[in-house]
Amino acid sequence: MDASEPVPAPLDAVVIGAGQAGLSAAYFLRRAGLDFAVLDADAGPGGAWRHRWPTLLMESVHGVHELPGMPVPPIEPTAQARVAVPAYFAAYEQAMDLPVVRPVKVAAVREAGEGLLAVDTDAGTWTTRTLINATGTWRRPFLPYYPGAADFRGRQLHTVDYAGPDEFRGKHVVVVGGGTSAIHFLAEINAAGGTTTWVTRRPPQFRDDEFTPELGRAAVARVEERVRQGLPPQSVVTVTGLPPTAAVRDARERGLLDRTPMFDRLTPDGVAWDTPDGPRTVHADAVLWATGFRAALDHLAPLGLREPGGGIRMDGTRTAADPRIHLVGYGPSASTIGANRAGRAAVHDITKLLHDTGTDTGTNAGADDRTGRAATAAA
């Protein structure tokens, strides 16, 4: 559905975001026969995958778990992730007849009275009985502040700005961050003829063993405990460590994983550490901040969901403060397989809530004209 079409009457659910978590939730909402719409800020399918750098190939991706009801088709390992994954998502939206409306940018979600929520967007206001937020993190990159940042004469960029290694040929880049993206950048930049210094705030935690399902469940449990306490989720690498992937092994063999502690400040020409023997400096043409992301939840601020600890207290996928609101792809469900499970759990709880309150207006898989008008967005 195009964003210029009329905004439908109150819905059973609105999903914000059409990445893995949002599409999973939409599948289960469709299967439950509820009246809903999916609002997506992008011009086409693919979620954050649309914005990945062009040199990220499928062979370097940790893996894309299939969306419910449709397997991932065979994809060449050398295919660009930002092309291959959006193509799969586009086919999924069409095959499942999902009511995705785009491009729609959500400004705020607020109370609308009579138990309804208002979703204010640049294309009008939707009213809904429940909300599934699946906005992920890509639109909220985290850039830590360090003294001297304003004086640095080189380029500073974040993962979201990285367009490939060619622009760094013959240049020295300080790569900041202890995750897999940082290692990917180190390898690419050096292979393209640049040089790098790798700095991290904490020593990177390399795993010598494969990441088993048991370890995965333990990691999810740690993250879930944090969000139950209303604390911000930890980064994935903080919880799981760096697995012994081919990329990690290759970077180690090439001597690229010589990690340096975090610098104390930026200088006009690079970065500096304060040591007992005086300042130690490294020249840099660029500083690449592979420092991760934060959950993109600012549009939920009018609802007052945040706890003093800075996070949102969760009970499963439900926010503890308001059972109408679910966060999928957040905390323990911030993975492709976790997003699928979260979508199912959220819809189960929403269906029960609407039934218990007698407010469901289910359309039996899209028979209602309102949902029909919001059928499938064009790719």
Side-chain angles (χ1 to χ4, degrees), residues 14-17 39-41 104-109 118-122 131 133 135 299-300:
V14 163
V15 181
I16 305 177
L39 310 182
D40 188 48
V104 174
K105 294 183 179 179
V106 175
V109 180
V119 184
D120 295 329
T121 81
D122 60 354
L131 181 86
N133 191 84
T135 46
H299 55 286
L300 301 181

Side-chain angles (χ1 to χ4, degrees), residues 273-280:
W273 293 259
D274 295 324
T275 74
D277 299 323
R280 176 201 166 202

Side-chain angles (χ1 to χ4, degrees), residues 48-142:
W49 291 100
R50 292 171 55 86
H51 308 289
R52 305 293 187 183
W53 52 96
T55 49
L56 179 63
L57 308 182
M58 291 302 294
E59 62 188 0
S60 301
V61 172
H62 288 315
V64 178
H65 195 271
E66 66 182 39
L67 287 157
M70 183 173 169
V72 180
I75 300 175
E76 288 295 325
T78 55
Q80 289 182 321
R82 69 174 183 173
V83 174
V85 180
Y88 170 55
F89 282 15
Y92 186 83
E93 289 181 14
Q94 183 173 11
M96 300 302 170
D97 191 27
L98 299 180
V100 182
V101 192
R102 61 166 62 93
V104 174
K105 294 183 179 179
V106 175
V109 180
R110 56 183 172 80
E111 293 287 350
E114 299 182 354
L116 295 174
L117 297 164
V119 184
D120 295 329
T121 81
D122 60 354
T125 296
W126 273 255
T127 53
T128 179
R129 295 169 179 83
T130 65
L131 181 86
I132 298 178
N133 191 84
T135 46
T137 62
W138 186 261
R139 295 182 183 276
R140 198 174 170 218
F142 173 64

